Amino acid sequence: GIHRSMLHAGPPRCLSHQAAAQVMLSSAARAASLRRICSAASLRVPSLAACGSVSPPHIPMWGNAISSEEEELLVREAERALRQRRYEPGHFDGVIKQYREVQRPLGRFSEEARAVLNRVMKMAFPAGISTLPVHILDLLPEGVIGSHVDSKDYSGSYVVGLSLLSHSVMTLKHQELSDAQCQLFLPRCSLYVLHGAARYEWAHAITQTDQFCGQTIPHKGRRISFLFRDRHPTELSRMAPQS
């Protein structure tokens, strides 16, 4: 499977993040603040503040990786790819609940969607990297992704996520140190990259929380994510031409 569960107890510590800087006083103000976050100039966060007993992972992030028009295009493509898939109450490994998903090769997207996805992947991956089919994950408003580390046997060293339709909060927990926990706000239209320690040493989750760094935020709605992963080294060796 793609996921491996990793659960820890204890309250999360908050990451320092520009997206959480505003004090949100009312539902309208919170919604307007989130819209401003998503419509702001593209933001890359090169480092994050300390949390728990160890330094947090390095997570590159772009706050506005795609436009609202591009989001609409990708949602239509996702709906088309998922039209024969039913929402499932739970994943076989218990990590994801209230979801549907599909793997779709890049070549099966429309030319317009491929252009957007290629640009996003170019932002996130080093040049020349070989990637797996795009993983589209459709999570209902009540859906959650439990704490897990993506399988080290299925894919390579990158997990890249593009968030559509709704903001969400990612909770990260160190696999060995249970008091090392933190949160990352994922605005709608944002892109994040898990690599290195963030990929292998920290479990991540998407929950229904309406709290981020002590602030109340609008509840997560239906969320579609496009997930990109590089190929595992053993798969690349099998694909290499034999001399």
Side-chain angles (χ1 to χ4, degrees), residues 79-230:
E79 293 280 13
R80 189 177 301 117
L82 290 161
R83 64 183 180 273
Q84 295 184 354
R85 302 295 179 109
R86 298 182 304 171
Y87 286 101
E88 302 289 343
H91 198 263
F92 71 91
D93 59 9
V95 170
I96 315 176
K97 300 183 186 300
Q98 301 300 326
Y99 76 102
R100 57 180 179 167
E101 65 181 344
V102 69
Q103 306 276 346
R104 193 169 182 85
L106 195 60
R108 294 190 60 190
F109 288 92
S110 69
E111 182 177 353
E112 295 80 6
R114 283 201 306 273
V116 176
L117 296 177
N118 276 322
R119 190 190 78 233
V120 166
M121 293 165 68
K122 187 175 181 180
M123 293 165 62
F125 289 108
I129 203 162
S130 179
T131 57
L132 292 165
V134 180
H135 179 195
I136 304 174
L137 179 60
D138 183 358
L139 202 64
L140 288 172
E142 64 271 24
V144 297
I145 303 174
S147 191
H148 72 283
V149 173
D150 283 45
S151 172
K152 300 174 184 179
D153 299 323
Y154 171 76
S155 62
S157 61
Y158 285 86
V159 178
V160 177
L162 178 65
S163 301
L164 309 178
L165 294 182
S166 175
H167 72 279
S168 58
V169 175
M170 176 182 284
T171 300
L172 297 118
K173 302 178 182 180
H174 198 278
Q175 294 193 78
E176 303 297 334
L177 303 170
S178 60
D179 66 330
Q181 304 181 43
C182 48
Q183 289 182 325
L184 178 65
F185 183 68
L186 302 178
R188 181 176 179 172
C189 308
S190 66
L191 181 74
Y192 66 86
V193 179
L194 302 182
H195 178 63
R199 160 75 171 91
Y200 294 110
E201 298 176 15
W202 294 73
H204 59 279
I206 301 291
T207 66
Q208 294 181 337
T209 182
D210 60 358
Q211 295 291 315
F212 177 72
C213 290
Q215 300 179 58
T216 300
I217 60 175
H219 203 276
K220 177 184 72 66
R222 178 189 175 205
R223 177 177 183 262
I224 293 177
S225 55
F226 278 59
L227 299 163
F228 312 92
R229 301 176 177 89
D230 58 320

